[in-house]
Amino acid sequence: MALEHKPDFADLLTLDTLDRDIFRGRCHEGAPMRAFGGQVAAQAQIAAGRTVDPDRRMHSLHGYFLRPGRTDAPIVYLVERLREGRSFTTRRVSAVQDGEVIFSMSASFQRPRDSDDSHRLRMPDVPGPDEQSQRWGPMLIAPDFPPFQLLDLRLVTSSAAPEDGMPRQYIWVRVDQPLTDDPLLHVCALTYLSDVTLSTTARRPHLRAGPGRLDLVSLDHAMWFHRPFRADDWLLFAQDSPTVGGTRGLSRGMFFTRDGELVASAMQEAGLLRH
């Protein structure tokens, strides 16, 4: 996806409708000539959302990255309508390129309902985004890469060797331009944002553990959306990695609003490949 100017974030998720439940999009690179997985997942969400009544909100997704996607060819998204319940709707999306499925996702939608039963984890006690001047690493490495110009990610702190053996990093994140009020756009934006940093939490302690370059390959990605939020407002992305082993690393993260409300959770397993 050639981007020669700073686009609207929504442009990254734009799909063409080819037929009922069939859509087409293009992706920019996350690695050289490899489509960015967060964008593929977010476009799959858009495809699923277009087949669901607008009064239903996506509350979870579970996706598997099966093959690398290319940036020089379109991706076709095929939506299957698995369930139309009174409260919940379920969709399966297959992202196809050159006749092969590169990504498969199941997504669930719910008609919003109020509940008196609720609890949530407290937000970690960290400095706010206005106190941070350091942008997250890749934002400094490739500041002229147009998709990165649309994001603002501020590293609060990271720990490569904590006492409990679990690396952590805390990053304030947001889309750095106003978004429309469409709830689907905000959950898709959060999926995109989550894939920028999540797997690096597992990689961090092992960067200098051996010879060669350590690369990441996303294997799967899951998201849960607990409460309404805006992806163009600051969210604290609190991340940790419970385990790395067998060339796979598991990372998890939680998103909090500035006033401490837990709004979404994410988990991802990635392959750690040393060259």
Side-chain angles (χ1 to χ4, degrees):
M1 187 180 197
L3 299 173
E4 298 179 354
H5 64 284
K6 184 174 179 178
D8 290 334
F9 183 84
D11 292 346
L12 302 179
L13 307 183
T14 297
L15 299 180
D16 299 322
T17 301
L18 302 184
D19 205 335
R20 182 181 187 267
D21 302 343
I22 304 176
F23 307 91
R24 179 179 59 202
R26 287 183 174 271
C27 290
H28 65 72
E29 65 184 66
M33 292 306 294
R34 182 185 298 170
F36 175 51
Q39 188 182 20
V40 176
Q43 289 187 352
Q45 288 175 270
I46 291 289
R50 285 196 183 176
T51 70
V52 175
D53 290 340
D55 68 332
R56 304 199 174 203
R57 307 289 175 82
M58 183 179 292
H59 70 87
S60 70
L61 68 88
H62 296 75
Y64 287 89
F65 296 97
L66 305 177
R67 297 176 178 86
R70 300 204 329 272
T71 61
D72 59 351
I75 299 172
V76 175
Y77 297 90
L78 309 176
V79 181
E80 299 177 66
R81 304 185 183 220
L82 300 183
R83 182 191 184 193
E84 298 284 359
R86 288 188 297 176
S87 298
F88 292 90
T89 296
T90 307
R91 297 290 186 261
R92 179 185 295 128
V93 183
S94 298
V96 179
Q97 192 173 57
D98 296 329
E100 295 186 316
V101 178
I102 64 171
F103 177 73
S104 177
M105 181 190 78
S106 295
S108 184
F109 299 75
Q110 180 189 22
R111 179 178 289 117
R113 299 182 62 181
D114 294 330
S115 172
D116 295 330
D117 301 323
S118 136
H119 72 268
R120 57 182 179 268
L121 183 70
R122 292 181 181 176
M123 184 174 71
D125 185 14
V126 300
D130 298 333
E131 302 175 54
Q132 311 304 315
S133 59
Q134 180 183 359
R135 301 191 77 194
W136 189 76
M139 305 297 111
L140 298 175
I141 295 171
D144 296 327
F145 188 43
F148 284 171
Q149 296 176 21
L150 305 177
L151 310 178
D152 197 349
L153 284 75
R154 303 295 177 92
L155 178 65
V156 178
T157 183
S158 62
S159 176
E163 293 182 0
D164 63 2
M166 188 161 60
R168 295 178 173 85
Q169 61 179 353
Y170 301 101
I171 304 177
W172 287 100
V173 302
R174 67 176 178 181
V175 176
D176 197 19
Q177 62 179 212
L179 300 178
T180 68
D181 294 333
D182 180 5
L184 180 62
L185 177 60
H186 289 269
V187 298
C188 295
L190 203 63
T191 299
Y192 183 104
L193 277 163
S194 70
D195 195 46
V196 175
T197 70
L198 188 54
S199 61
T200 66
T201 314
R203 180 181 65 175
R204 184 175 296 275
H206 306 280
L207 287 174
R208 300 179 182 178
R213 185 181 76 251
L214 187 63
D215 289 337
L216 293 173
V217 178
S218 296
L219 302 176
D220 56 41
H221 198 102
M223 297 281 295
W224 296 265
F225 307 102
H226 312 305
R227 297 171 181 86
F229 61 88
R230 294 193 64 89
D232 51 2
D233 284 343
W234 284 114
L235 296 167
L236 178 67
F237 193 14
Q239 305 163 59
D240 59 39
S241 175
T243 183
V244 168
T247 72
R248 301 188 317 277
L250 181 67
S251 299
R252 60 187 182 182
M254 288 166 285
F255 290 91
F256 299 86
T257 62
R258 294 185 69 166
D259 58 4
E261 188 171 44
L262 175 64
V263 295
S265 301
M267 293 193 74
Q268 184 179 73
E269 189 172 47
L272 279 68
L273 308 176
R274 194 172 293 279
H275 300 280

